[in-house]
Amino acid sequence: MLHSIPETPLLGGRAFREGFAERFQSARSQKLLGLEEEIRSYGEGLMSLAPAYDGADTSATPQGALVLRNALRVLQQQSFYGRDPAVSLRASAPPGAYVTWDPAYLDRALAYHADYERFVQTAFKDLPVGAQGFVRGLATVQLEARMARTIAQGVAAAPIGHAFGDRGAARELRDRIVASRDAAGRVLRILGVFKALGLRERYDELAGTLLAQDDALLQETDRLLERSGLYAPSGGDFEWWNGSRPVAPPAFAVADAEGVEEYLAGQRERLGQLLDGYAAPVLADLEADPLRDFVAGGDADAYVNAARVAKWRAIGAQLDAYEAKTPGNSLAALEQFIRDEMNAVEVGSCAAAGGRGRAGDFFLAARERLRASLVARCQGLARGAASSGYERLREQFQRTLAGRFPFAAGDGEGEAGPEAVADFFGLWDARGAARRAVAAGAGGVGGEGSPAAEWLAQMDRVRAFLAPLLS
C-alpha cells in the first residue's frame, strides 16, 4: 500500500515510505525491549512462585506461567541473546582506503541465525498463540542486535596498496575483488535473513554498504580499463601519419593485415578478462535475489543508474553478440572500421573515414575516437598538400606559361614552348590529389566558387583541349 503513494510536489512518496518504515521499526524494537524488561520482573515473580526443575513442588504454580517461564529461560540461554547496544551497519572507507569484511564474523552472525531457527522451531511447544508471538518477537529483537553487533565488528577499512605499474595494480585489484566475493556471498545470505525477518532498517544499511563497496570496485575497474589503452593508436593519435596507406597496420604497430587481426583478437581477449575477472563478479550482486527489493525500491538508483554500470553491462552484451555473430553488434562495427574504413582514407577524401555512433557504447565510442583523430590528421595533411601543391602549380604556371599564347589574349609575351606546356601539365597530373582537395575546399583551402577553384577549372579545360598533343 505504501508503494502506491505517488510522487507529488507536496508529498514525496518514497520519503514518506522510508520515514514510515524507520519509525515503525524503531517503535517495534522499543516496544519489544520494553516488554522484555517487564517479562524479566515477571519471570522473577514466576521464579519465586516455582523454582526451576530442582525437585521442588511446582503443583501450586499455574501451568501456563510455568511454560512461559521455561520458554523465556531457554531464550536467555541462546547464543544470540544478550544486551547488545544498537549499532549501524552503514560503513564507508576514508580516502585512500576500502571496506573489508572479516568472514569469521559474518559466519558467526549466520550461526546466530541458525540457533534462532532451532529455537523458534522447538521453544513454542504448549505455549498459547499469543505467548508464542511475544517470545518470537523478543527473540527476533535479540537476534537483530546480536547479528548487527557481530557484523559491525567484522567491518574495517584497509589502505589501498600502491602496486608497481599497471600489472601490479591489476593484481592488487583482482585480489580485492576475490576477497570481496568471498564475503559478498555471506553478506547476501545475511540480507536474506534480514529480509525474511522483516528487519528493514538493518537490511537497508547492509545492502547500502555492500553496493557502495561494489561501486568503488567498479570505479577502479573503469580506471584499469582506461589504463589498458584498448583500441588506441600508437602514440594515442594519428599525428605521425604522413598519408601513406594502408593506415591500420602502422596505427597499431603491426606489419600487415594479419597483424591487425592478431591485434584485434588480443584486444577482445583483454576486454573479456576485465569483464569476467573484474566487472561481472561485482555486477552480479545487482541480480542476487536478496537485493531485488533494495534495487526495485529505488534505494540503489545512484549506483544502478551510474554510467559505468550501464557501460559494463553493454560491453558484456556486445561481447556475447559478437561471439554469437549477431548482426549489428558494435564490436563488429569497430573491427570493420579498423580493417576496412581506416584503410580507405586518403588525403583529399577524408570523409571516407566513417561516421559517428550512438553515445554510451564503449565500442562505438572507441570507433569515434579513432575516426575523429584520423579525420583531423587527414584534414591537416590535406590542407598542407592542397596549399603546397596548388602553390607549386601556380608558381610554375606564372614562371613558364603566364602571359604566353594560348594562355593569354593576343601575342602577349609570345607563345608558350611545347616543352614548358608539357612540363606544366606533367606536374598538373602529378598534383591530382592537391587539385581535388582545393577544388573541394578540403581543410578550408579553395572550395567551390573560389578564385583557386575557378583557375583549376580553366586549366582542366585547357588540359582536355591539349590532350592529343600532350599524349
Side-chain angles (χ1 to χ4, degrees):
M1 182 178 69
L2 291 175
H3 285 278
S4 67
I5 298 174
E7 294 283 344
T8 70
L10 297 178
L11 176 64
R14 178 178 173 185
F16 182 86
R17 291 192 298 272
E18 292 176 350
F20 179 87
E22 181 179 352
R23 286 170 175 76
F24 178 81
Q25 292 294 338
S26 177
R28 173 180 175 275
S29 297
Q30 291 300 321
K31 183 67 174 176
L32 285 169
L33 289 172
L35 287 173
E36 181 191 8
E37 292 297 332
E38 293 180 18
I39 206 62
R40 280 178 183 275
S41 60
Y42 179 58
E44 292 172 0
L46 290 177
M47 292 290 288
S48 66
L49 288 174
Y53 298 97
D54 55 4
D57 182 11
T58 59
S59 59
T61 305
Q63 185 61 33
L66 285 173
V67 173
L68 178 57
R69 184 200 65 181
N70 290 322
L72 293 173
R73 239 181 162 177
V74 173
L75 171 60
Q76 291 172 346
Q77 296 168 357
Q78 299 304 305
S79 63
F80 58 85
Y81 187 91
R83 302 293 295 170
D84 297 308
V87 296
S88 173
L89 294 180
R90 296 191 188 280
S92 60
Y98 63 96
V99 171
T100 65
W101 310 81
D102 188 330
Y105 284 93
L106 299 176
D107 287 339
R108 192 177 305 166
L110 289 167
Y112 289 142
H113 175 250
D115 289 346
Y116 167 88
E117 288 295 327
R118 283 190 291 270
F119 171 75
V120 298
Q121 289 171 11
T122 60
F124 298 153
K125 184 179 180 181
D126 300 327
L127 270 181
V129 175
Q132 289 183 20
F134 169 71
V135 175
R136 183 189 295 272
L138 186 56
T140 303
V141 169
Q142 294 294 323
L143 174 69
E144 176 184 8
R146 180 57 55 93
M147 288 185 72
R149 188 199 67 171
T150 304
I151 295 166
Q153 288 175 330
V155 177
I160 296 175
H162 299 286
F164 175 75
D166 290 344
R167 289 170 61 86
R171 283 194 301 270
E172 194 270 342
L173 179 58
R174 177 61 184 156
D175 290 343
R176 284 172 50 196
I177 290 175
V178 169
S180 75
R181 295 309 87 198
D182 184 43
R186 294 170 168 87
V187 173
L188 289 170
R189 288 172 59 194
I190 293 171
L191 286 171
V193 170
F194 289 162
K195 178 181 175 181
L197 295 177
L199 305 178
R200 184 70 199 195
E201 184 177 0
R202 295 288 175 261
Y203 174 87
D204 287 348
E205 291 172 352
L206 188 59
T209 298
L210 176 62
L211 290 185
Q213 180 191 45
D214 288 352
D215 189 35
L217 292 171
L218 199 61
Q219 288 185 53
E220 293 197 45
T221 300
D222 252 11
R223 287 192 283 272
L224 187 59
L225 173 63
E226 292 173 6
R227 292 197 299 270
S228 295
L230 298 180
Y231 303 106
S234 298
D237 55 35
F238 287 90
E239 288 304 307
W240 51 268
W241 186 48
N242 61 6
S244 62
R245 297 169 64 193
V247 183
F252 301 109
V254 297
D256 50 28
E258 183 178 351
V260 171
E261 292 303 319
E262 292 176 356
Y263 169 83
L264 293 175
Q267 301 297 281
R268 289 196 304 273
E269 181 180 3
R270 178 56 178 156
L271 194 54
Q273 291 171 349
L274 291 174
L275 176 67
D276 297 336
Y278 295 81
V282 173
L283 290 173
D285 287 344
L286 288 176
E287 309 300 328
D289 184 68
L291 275 173
R292 290 190 188 280
D293 286 355
F294 192 75
V295 173
D299 298 287
D301 280 357
Y303 173 53
V304 174
N305 297 330
R308 55 186 162 272
V309 172
K311 177 178 72 177
W312 281 106
R313 282 176 161 171
I315 287 174
Q318 293 304 317
L319 282 172
D320 289 344
Y322 182 92
E323 292 178 2
K325 302 188 185 303
T326 304
N329 73 84
S330 57
L331 173 53
L334 169 61
E335 292 191 350
Q336 179 184 351
F337 176 82
I338 292 173
R339 287 191 192 98
D340 303 324
E341 295 169 30
M342 279 179 58
N343 293 329
V345 178
E346 61 177 337
V347 178
S349 59
C350 300
R356 298 177 182 272
R358 63 181 180 273
D361 185 294
F362 171 80
F363 300 107
L364 295 185
R367 186 183 72 172
E368 172 56 18
R369 286 192 298 272
L370 290 171
R371 187 203 70 82
S373 180
L374 182 56
V375 165
R377 177 57 176 167
C378 182
Q379 291 175 340
L381 290 174
R383 283 194 297 272
S387 178
S388 62
Y390 176 76
E391 290 302 322
R392 178 74 180 85
L393 286 170
R394 288 289 298 177
E395 184 275 331
Q396 183 156 336
F397 178 82
Q398 291 294 113
R399 181 167 50 83
T400 63
L401 301 180
R404 297 174 175 83
F405 182 82
F407 300 96
D411 293 337
E413 299 179 14
E415 294 185 358
E419 290 185 2
V421 173
D423 287 345
F424 172 76
F425 282 108
L427 179 64
W428 177 271
D429 293 340
R431 295 291 189 273
R435 290 187 287 106
R436 289 191 294 273
V438 171
V445 178
E448 185 177 359
S450 67
E454 291 179 0
W455 180 78
L456 290 172
Q458 291 175 356
M459 291 300 102
D460 262 334
R461 291 192 290 272
V462 173
R463 174 69 175 80
F465 177 76
L466 297 177
L469 297 177
L470 295 173
S471 61

